[in-house]
């Protein structure tokens, strides 16, 4: 999920807890943020070969939520390099998310006592199958 941006500051004199007004990213801002994430992930995965030899990950990126009444967000289908382990690749994804600073990594509504680890993070890494590709393409 993309982070919300600061829109304006409200006066604190009315006893409001949070005086910041945040707004969602628009479609073009989300695409730019997603492209930055992809570039960072390519750099972390392929190091100098990304620039020197134009090596890059095979990625399908789809933004969703503009037509629906849900938050605008991005789905990715990324082919992991065969030479990289799942654990190392998941660390690279997390590091790219942290470096981009455009996306929320942890869920602010997470209940630590619920012990459901899937709900702790705002992103999910899973193996790509045909069902996932069909889902993000909305066929």
């Amino acid at each position: 999920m993309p982070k919300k941006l600061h829109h304006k500051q409200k006066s604190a004199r009315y006893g409001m807890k949070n005086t910041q007004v945040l707004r969602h990213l628009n479609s073009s801002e989300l695409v730019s943020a997603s492209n930055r994430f992809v570039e960072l992930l390519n750099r972390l995965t392929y190091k100098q070969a990304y620039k020197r030899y134009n090596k890059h990950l095979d990625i399908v990126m789809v933004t969703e939520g503009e037509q629906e009444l849900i938050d605008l967000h991005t789905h990715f289908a990324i082919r992991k390099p065969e030479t990289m382990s799942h654990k190392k690749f998941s660390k690279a994804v997390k590091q790219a998310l942290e470096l981009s600073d455009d996306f929320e990594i942890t869920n602010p509504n997470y209940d630590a006592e619920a012990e459901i680890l899937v709900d702790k993070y705002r992103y999910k890494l899973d193996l790509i199958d045909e069902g996932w590709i069909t889902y993000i393409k909305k066929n």
Side-chain angles (χ1 to χ4, degrees):
M1 289 296 288
K3 286 184 177 178
K4 294 180 182 175
L5 299 176
H6 181 269
H7 181 61
K8 65 181 178 179
Q9 192 77 22
K10 292 197 298 189
S11 174
R13 66 179 161 188
Y14 297 110
M16 301 184 74
K17 288 182 187 177
N18 193 355
T19 58
Q20 290 187 11
V21 177
L22 302 175
R23 70 170 179 85
H24 294 279
L25 295 177
N26 63 32
S27 183
S28 63
E29 291 170 334
L30 179 60
V31 169
S32 295
S34 298
N35 287 334
R36 274 193 303 278
F37 165 73
V38 167
E39 183 174 346
L40 284 167
L41 187 58
N42 277 315
R43 285 177 188 261
L44 290 169
T45 304
Y46 288 115
K47 312 276 190 248
Q48 291 297 322
Y50 170 64
K51 277 182 129 176
R52 289 184 185 159
Y53 308 114
N54 200 24
K55 283 190 132 193
H56 59 276
L57 297 164
D58 296 328
I59 297 176
V60 175
M61 178 180 80
V62 178
T63 57
E64 181 182 48
E66 195 167 19
Q67 303 298 324
E68 300 88 15
L69 295 174
I70 56 176
D71 289 341
L72 195 61
H73 60 280
T74 309
H75 292 287
F76 293 98
I78 304 171
R79 181 176 290 145
K80 178 188 76 62
E82 293 188 18
T83 57
M84 189 178 253
S85 69
H86 290 291
K87 188 174 184 177
K88 193 172 180 182
F89 186 68
S90 64
K91 284 182 181 181
V93 169
K94 185 174 182 183
Q95 188 176 6
L97 285 169
E98 290 170 348
L99 288 171
S100 74
D101 198 38
D102 292 318
F103 299 95
E104 290 184 12
I105 297 173
T106 57
N107 185 356
N109 300 325
Y110 174 67
D111 180 17
E113 295 176 9
E115 296 181 10
I116 302 171
L117 197 59
V118 175
D119 295 338
K120 183 175 182 179
Y121 298 103
R122 297 295 294 219
Y123 70 96
K124 181 181 173 188
L125 292 177
D126 209 350
L127 295 177
I128 299 173
D129 60 358
E130 192 172 322
W132 175 248
I133 300 294
T134 304
Y135 171 74
I136 66 172
K137 289 185 346 185
K138 301 293 184 205
N139 284 349

